Amino acid sequence: MYGFDYHAPQSLSEATALLAQHGAAAKPLAGGTDLILHLKERRLKPRHLVDLKRIPGLDHLTAEGSELRVGAVVPLRALERAIAGDELLQATVGAGLRQMKSPTLRNRATLGGVLANADVTADLLPPLLALGTTVALHGPGGDRVLPLDEFLLGASRTALGAGEILREVTIPRVAGGRGFFQRLGLKRVGGPPLVIVAGVLVPGPEGGVARASLVAGAVGPRPARLPQVEQILLAARPAVSGIEQAAAAGAGEAGAVSDLWATKEYRQEILEVLLRRGLQAALGTGGDR
Amino acid sequence: METKGNGFSAIGKGLPMVDARDKVTGLHDFGMDVALPGMLWGRVLRSPHPHARITHIDTSRAARLPGVVAIVTGDDAPRRKFSVCGQRLEDEHLLAIEKARYVGDEVAAVAAFDEDTAEEACTLIDVEYELLPAVLDPFEAMQPGAPLVHEHLGTNVATHTEFVRGDLGEALRQADAVVKERFSLPYFHQAYLEMNSCAAEWDSEGRLTLYASTQSPALSRGSYARALDIPPERIRVVQCHMGGAFGAKLEYKLHPICALLARKAGRPVKMVNPRHEEFFAGLPRVPMTIDLMFAAKKDGTILGKEIRIVADNGAYINYAHAAMLSALLRHDNLYRYQHTRAVGDLVYTNKVTSGCFRGFGNLQGHWAVESLMDILAEELGMDPAELRKINGVRTGDTTIHGWKILSCGLQECIDQVTKAAGWEQKRYAPKPRGPRKRGVGLACCLHVSGNRSFVPMFDGASAICLINAEGQVRILTGETDMGAGTRTAMSQMAAEALGVPVEWVQISTGDTDVTPHGLGTYADRGTTLGGGGVMMAALDAKRQVLELAAEELEARAEDLVIDDGVISVRGNRDRGIPFRQVTQKAFIRKAGGMIVGTGTYIPNGVSDIDPKTKYGNISCAYPFAAQVAEVEVDEETGEVWLVNHFAAHDLGRTINPLAARGQIIGAVAQGVGHALLEQMVYDDKGMLRNPSFKRYLIPRAWDMPRALTTILVETNDPNGPFGAKGLAEPALIPTPPAIANAIYNAVGVRLTHLPLTPEKVLRALKEKRERTARPEAPR
Ligand SMILES: Cc1cc2nc3c(=O)[nH]c(=O)nc-3n(C[C@H](O)[C@H](O)[C@H](O)COP(=O)(O)OP(=O)(O)OC[C@H]3O[C@@H](n4cnc5c(N)ncnc54)[C@H](O)[C@@H]3O)c2cc1C
């Protein structure tokens, strides 16, 4: 039979104990927007669902000082509100959120769910990676903090160990940073993205950039930084003079693959276009859009 | 603006649909919602292989699962093969016997206490398959030595169709220009919201009642009688409210399988296809590859046309033979050709059976024809609108295939739509710098209002009009309402014919024990033919009412009129009597009987087509259309957006402008899907890669243009009831070629294989750049 037991633990330790006890037969439940579909389509058949939404201390959102700390079960809608006045976060995370047009989805889906899901096409992962986000995990062996880059292992694979729960997400505020988010999908919004690029740049002396963090998503097994692109931009004086070369390098290094939706070659061409457009927008050279 | 001044009281009013309130409040019961006391739930076990011999089926493990009541396999089904109505090539068993022919083929079915148990039981049925090589591409399937989908036929070619008019050689000799191109379309899924479902129940006398949402209870009854090998009079099909169909829900195998399960279980059984099974085993649009040629004179006159089609039938034959015929033939009646040649092969493959989808094969045919029209216009240096006007048929024409065009608004549609779109200015304006370019494109079409060649018996419709003591009018019709508003239109027609308020009229659709046997809603026959039957029945009832009223008013029946429920001598409304006074009188005279009007509408001059030459006037009235798409194309990414759309439709007479505009808007959305987004993708192992709405991309509100202008052109067809012709299907047909033509106008690339994804657009742009760079290269 396709039944399951529903658990609503009241504390983190109770939750990790349940997860540890039932092992692979248990799944944490956050917004359920992804997990329930898996159950419905029988791709997953967990015997136990451990609801994280009743656990005190997982739903906080603090925006003090140099970082934004977001509890794992905070819905995307709350995150959207919290970043309303922040230009950099708007240009990156906010732009990603605007792709998720459905209000019901944003009210229901959680930030922890987005990260734990590790979907290669997730709109929020590239901007969060570019911003240098870290995640705090809680498990039977205690707590640990990982950069998001190390947390994401591959398509739907994360560093979460047995019984471990993603507890909190920390998004640093990058002082003086300028950001962008570019996406090409088959539909105007929603639907499968073919390419996502996001970036955060901090202007430096001589028209250059002091910090560059560029990420491509939806092209390979997981969203990934583009170190060559970053190097080119860091070296260019002024930075805008490096845009063409950086964009061309990005097309090569992102490890684009072919799938149902597009060929590798097309993805590479689009990467170049979107990188160029994003960098032009962030570095203020106008661009076409 | 539409209600005033047309001389009618109910026709032309933009009334909300009769079921709108129930739908928006959630009270509307669809076929999926039917529940019978004590019913079980059924599920189908489908083949996971595209082509495999079934060597053994062991159901014992499934039978032991608690809650399972009945299991059926090919052994429980009749040995005889069947097919859809009018199909002579019967190639299908109710459940696979010996072989499974596509991923999704029905192999067994289970009835259990609940859906989950039935589903789980399916996983416990052990089927031994011996895999056979599959043939997936129709061109490969036509090669000698290709694996045979149906061995006993000795070939994968299900039907070969060929017909000629005039002498194409002559056209080529006289021609100043010859253009040709290959076009193609993939499988498109109809994406109706309500999944296929059915509830079946047998009585103690062995009579079957099927509750189903089907486009045709009558065709279903006949086909299911053959599938179940029982006489049709033992089957009653009750039509349920439909949650969309778009052609997919004529006969469907789930229904007789449900009956088989119910008989074995001895209890009612309900079945609902899960969504992914709708993709795996529905009846999507017939994919076609079309080679098309035009031969024309300098002045634009098209002398000759040749079309060759290879159509993908999938594993079993449904209505694809007729869809292919319509793709070969129908658009020949849009322009005044003198010489034509058409050759088509419908080919079996180990993929899902292809069937009917709004526009039938006419969408496929027009995709090619309306694209090549623009190629020809370019070749001749003519404006595409002008080229179409020169060649377009006109009122009074008998076309090359014998179609009698009694009303034709093609020229007016072209004039109005190009004017509304600002054609001249947009088409020829210099393009701005920067990567985003705009362009406009035109496409036209004609369609039918009922298709005499579709099923062999007859075309036409009957209805019954009952009027009770209180003066309430109930129409019984065998036609169906797919959600397009057929019942709303019919109630307006009945009210108009009777002279009573529309609110007094109720429409009951198909129940094969009660209603006349309508052929159903397809080929745009619902309003024109079904409505014609309703009008005749209402007029018959009115005659009876007036006879009684004549006694009351001491006047002659011929001198009486009914207006807004008041019966009076013409010109003397003040001394009129209420409609209800007369119906009360009828009630007493007939000892409780109702006024019963019966009506039959068989349009004039419609004939079956000649089986060999395909000559014949297949429909009573031909609707026309012209649409202009305005697109924006990003030259760096290949993205295409439809930014504006203009649709002009000759629908004969607007019965309900709100419903008519709704049909056009919905159709354009589907057209955007066909043009830019949708396709069912099969991998090289015969597996469908995108069987969900997450992966099968239908457009949403954001993919639609900001502005969509609808123009209704009224030509008052002499055959249509109140002059009405079909609309719903032609509303979709011109959209994909209009978009392709607009892309060409925007960036100068011609795309011929749907859907026009950004990757295809970008590749074509690159090839164009390489082509234009070449002449400068050293020779
Ligand atoms: C209609 C629809 C439209 C969508 N559109 C978009 C879109 O446009 N762009 C986009 O990027 N995405 C889109 N999505 C995907 C959506 O972002 C994900 O479904 C969502 O992020 C999952 O969050 P959730 O809280 O609902 O997670 P759940 O479904 O509850 O969980 C997802 C997975 O993560 C695990 N998990 C959840 N929380 C934790 C935790 N704290 N610790 C450990 N494991 C955890 C669960 O066990 C499960 O495996 C869409 C989804 C739907 C249904």
Short mmCIF file of all heavy atoms in Angstrom, two decimals, chain A residues 261-285:
data_model
loop_
_atom_site.label_atom_id
_atom_site.label_comp_id
_atom_site.label_asym_id
_atom_site.label_seq_id
_atom_site.Cartn_x
_atom_site.Cartn_y
_atom_site.Cartn_z
N TRP A 261 15.68 19.63 -23.89
CA TRP A 261 15.26 20.99 -24.23
C TRP A 261 16.21 21.71 -25.17
O TRP A 261 15.80 22.60 -25.91
CB TRP A 261 15.13 21.83 -22.95
CG TRP A 261 14.29 21.17 -21.92
CD1 TRP A 261 14.70 20.71 -20.69
CD2 TRP A 261 12.90 20.84 -22.00
NE1 TRP A 261 13.65 20.13 -20.02
CE2 TRP A 261 12.53 20.21 -20.80
CE3 TRP A 261 11.93 21.03 -22.99
CZ2 TRP A 261 11.24 19.76 -20.55
CZ3 TRP A 261 10.64 20.58 -22.74
CH2 TRP A 261 10.31 19.96 -21.54
N ALA A 262 17.49 21.41 -25.10
CA ALA A 262 18.44 22.17 -25.92
C ALA A 262 19.73 21.38 -26.06
O ALA A 262 20.05 20.54 -25.23
CB ALA A 262 18.73 23.52 -25.27
N THR A 263 20.48 21.72 -27.12
CA THR A 263 21.78 21.09 -27.27
C THR A 263 22.82 21.87 -26.47
O THR A 263 22.61 23.04 -26.12
CB THR A 263 22.24 21.08 -28.74
OG1 THR A 263 22.37 22.45 -29.17
CG2 THR A 263 21.26 20.36 -29.65
N LYS A 264 23.91 21.19 -26.24
CA LYS A 264 25.05 21.81 -25.55
C LYS A 264 25.51 23.08 -26.28
O LYS A 264 25.77 24.11 -25.66
CB LYS A 264 26.16 20.75 -25.53
CG LYS A 264 27.49 21.19 -25.10
CD LYS A 264 28.43 20.00 -25.23
CE LYS A 264 29.86 20.51 -25.12
NZ LYS A 264 30.83 19.41 -25.26
N GLU A 265 25.57 23.00 -27.62
CA GLU A 265 26.07 24.13 -28.40
C GLU A 265 25.18 25.35 -28.21
O GLU A 265 25.66 26.48 -28.07
CB GLU A 265 26.15 23.77 -29.89
CG GLU A 265 27.21 22.73 -30.25
CD GLU A 265 26.86 21.32 -29.79
OE1 GLU A 265 25.66 21.03 -29.60
OE2 GLU A 265 27.79 20.51 -29.58
N TYR A 266 23.87 25.12 -28.23
CA TYR A 266 22.96 26.24 -28.06
C TYR A 266 23.13 26.84 -26.68
O TYR A 266 23.19 28.06 -26.51
CB TYR A 266 21.51 25.79 -28.28
CG TYR A 266 20.51 26.92 -28.11
CD1 TYR A 266 20.45 27.95 -29.04
CD2 TYR A 266 19.65 26.96 -27.02
CE1 TYR A 266 19.55 29.00 -28.89
CE2 TYR A 266 18.74 28.00 -26.86
CZ TYR A 266 18.70 29.02 -27.81
OH TYR A 266 17.82 30.06 -27.64
N ARG A 267 23.24 25.98 -25.68
CA ARG A 267 23.41 26.49 -24.31
C ARG A 267 24.66 27.36 -24.23
O ARG A 267 24.67 28.42 -23.58
CB ARG A 267 23.54 25.33 -23.32
CG ARG A 267 22.22 24.67 -23.01
CD ARG A 267 22.27 24.02 -21.63
NE ARG A 267 20.91 23.78 -21.16
CZ ARG A 267 20.21 22.69 -21.43
NH1 ARG A 267 20.74 21.72 -22.15
NH2 ARG A 267 18.97 22.56 -20.96
N GLN A 268 25.73 26.93 -24.88
CA GLN A 268 26.98 27.70 -24.83
C GLN A 268 26.80 29.08 -25.46
O GLN A 268 27.26 30.08 -24.91
CB GLN A 268 28.10 26.92 -25.52
CG GLN A 268 28.53 25.72 -24.67
CD GLN A 268 29.54 24.84 -25.38
OE1 GLN A 268 29.64 24.86 -26.60
NE2 GLN A 268 30.27 24.05 -24.62
N GLU A 269 26.10 29.08 -26.61
CA GLU A 269 25.88 30.38 -27.24
C GLU A 269 25.07 31.31 -26.35
O GLU A 269 25.34 32.51 -26.26
CB GLU A 269 25.14 30.20 -28.57
CG GLU A 269 26.03 29.70 -29.68
CD GLU A 269 25.22 29.45 -30.94
OE1 GLU A 269 24.80 30.44 -31.55
OE2 GLU A 269 25.01 28.28 -31.29
N ILE A 270 24.06 30.74 -25.72
CA ILE A 270 23.18 31.56 -24.88
C ILE A 270 23.92 32.04 -23.63
O ILE A 270 23.77 33.18 -23.19
CB ILE A 270 21.92 30.76 -24.49
CG1 ILE A 270 21.12 30.44 -25.74
CG2 ILE A 270 21.07 31.54 -23.50
CD1 ILE A 270 20.81 31.63 -26.62
N LEU A 271 24.77 31.15 -23.08
CA LEU A 271 25.58 31.55 -21.94
C LEU A 271 26.37 32.81 -22.25
O LEU A 271 26.41 33.75 -21.46
CB LEU A 271 26.57 30.43 -21.61
CG LEU A 271 26.15 29.48 -20.50
CD1 LEU A 271 27.01 28.23 -20.55
CD2 LEU A 271 26.30 30.16 -19.15
N GLU A 272 26.95 32.81 -23.41
CA GLU A 272 27.77 33.95 -23.80
C GLU A 272 26.92 35.21 -23.89
O GLU A 272 27.30 36.26 -23.35
CB GLU A 272 28.47 33.66 -25.14
CG GLU A 272 29.38 34.78 -25.57
CD GLU A 272 30.26 34.41 -26.76
OE1 GLU A 272 30.34 33.21 -27.11
OE2 GLU A 272 30.87 35.33 -27.33
N VAL A 273 25.77 35.08 -24.52
CA VAL A 273 24.89 36.25 -24.68
C VAL A 273 24.43 36.75 -23.31
O VAL A 273 24.47 37.95 -23.03
CB VAL A 273 23.67 35.90 -25.57
CG1 VAL A 273 22.70 37.07 -25.61
CG2 VAL A 273 24.12 35.52 -26.98
N LEU A 274 23.98 35.81 -22.48
CA LEU A 274 23.42 36.23 -21.19
C LEU A 274 24.50 36.78 -20.26
O LEU A 274 24.27 37.74 -19.52
CB LEU A 274 22.68 35.07 -20.51
CG LEU A 274 21.44 34.53 -21.22
CD1 LEU A 274 20.66 33.60 -20.30
CD2 LEU A 274 20.53 35.63 -21.74
N LEU A 275 25.68 36.19 -20.31
CA LEU A 275 26.78 36.73 -19.50
C LEU A 275 27.11 38.15 -19.93
O LEU A 275 27.26 39.05 -19.12
CB LEU A 275 28.03 35.85 -19.66
CG LEU A 275 28.21 34.72 -18.64
CD1 LEU A 275 29.38 33.83 -19.05
CD2 LEU A 275 28.42 35.27 -17.24
N ARG A 276 27.20 38.34 -21.24
CA ARG A 276 27.51 39.67 -21.75
C ARG A 276 26.44 40.67 -21.31
O ARG A 276 26.74 41.74 -20.78
CB ARG A 276 27.63 39.63 -23.28
CG ARG A 276 27.78 41.00 -23.92
CD ARG A 276 28.36 40.94 -25.33
NE ARG A 276 27.76 39.94 -26.20
CZ ARG A 276 26.53 40.07 -26.73
NH1 ARG A 276 25.79 41.12 -26.45
NH2 ARG A 276 26.06 39.12 -27.53
N ARG A 277 25.18 40.28 -21.49
CA ARG A 277 24.10 41.20 -21.13
C ARG A 277 24.09 41.48 -19.62
O ARG A 277 23.88 42.62 -19.20
CB ARG A 277 22.74 40.61 -21.54
CG ARG A 277 22.52 40.66 -23.04
CD ARG A 277 21.17 40.08 -23.43
NE ARG A 277 20.99 40.13 -24.87
CZ ARG A 277 19.94 39.62 -25.50
NH1 ARG A 277 18.98 39.02 -24.81
NH2 ARG A 277 19.84 39.71 -26.80
N GLY A 278 24.31 40.44 -18.84
CA GLY A 278 24.29 40.62 -17.38
C GLY A 278 25.43 41.51 -16.93
O GLY A 278 25.24 42.42 -16.11
N LEU A 279 26.61 41.24 -17.46
CA LEU A 279 27.78 42.03 -17.06
C LEU A 279 27.62 43.49 -17.49
O LEU A 279 27.95 44.41 -16.75
CB LEU A 279 29.06 41.44 -17.66
CG LEU A 279 29.48 40.10 -17.05
CD1 LEU A 279 30.59 39.45 -17.87
CD2 LEU A 279 29.91 40.26 -15.59
N GLN A 280 27.09 43.68 -18.69
CA GLN A 280 26.86 45.06 -19.14
C GLN A 280 25.88 45.77 -18.22
O GLN A 280 26.09 46.93 -17.85
CB GLN A 280 26.31 45.06 -20.58
CG GLN A 280 27.41 44.84 -21.61
CD GLN A 280 26.84 44.61 -23.01
OE1 GLN A 280 25.65 44.38 -23.17
NE2 GLN A 280 27.71 44.64 -24.00
N ALA A 281 24.84 45.06 -17.81
CA ALA A 281 23.85 45.69 -16.93
C ALA A 281 24.47 46.01 -15.58
O ALA A 281 24.30 47.11 -15.04
CB ALA A 281 22.66 44.77 -16.76
N ALA A 282 25.26 45.05 -15.03
CA ALA A 282 25.82 45.26 -13.70
C ALA A 282 26.91 46.31 -13.70
O ALA A 282 27.07 47.07 -12.74
CB ALA A 282 26.36 43.94 -13.16
N LEU A 283 27.68 46.37 -14.79
CA LEU A 283 28.78 47.34 -14.84
C LEU A 283 28.35 48.66 -15.48
O LEU A 283 29.17 49.52 -15.76
CB LEU A 283 29.97 46.75 -15.60
CG LEU A 283 30.62 45.55 -14.89
CD1 LEU A 283 31.69 44.90 -15.77
CD2 LEU A 283 31.21 45.95 -13.55
N GLY A 284 27.05 48.75 -15.74
CA GLY A 284 26.49 50.04 -16.14
C GLY A 284 26.86 50.50 -17.51
O GLY A 284 26.99 51.68 -17.76
N THR A 285 27.07 49.59 -18.45
CA THR A 285 27.35 50.03 -19.82
C THR A 285 26.10 50.00 -20.67
O THR A 285 26.15 49.93 -21.87
CB THR A 285 28.41 49.14 -20.49
OG1 THR A 285 27.93 47.80 -20.44
CG2 THR A 285 29.72 49.27 -19.79
#
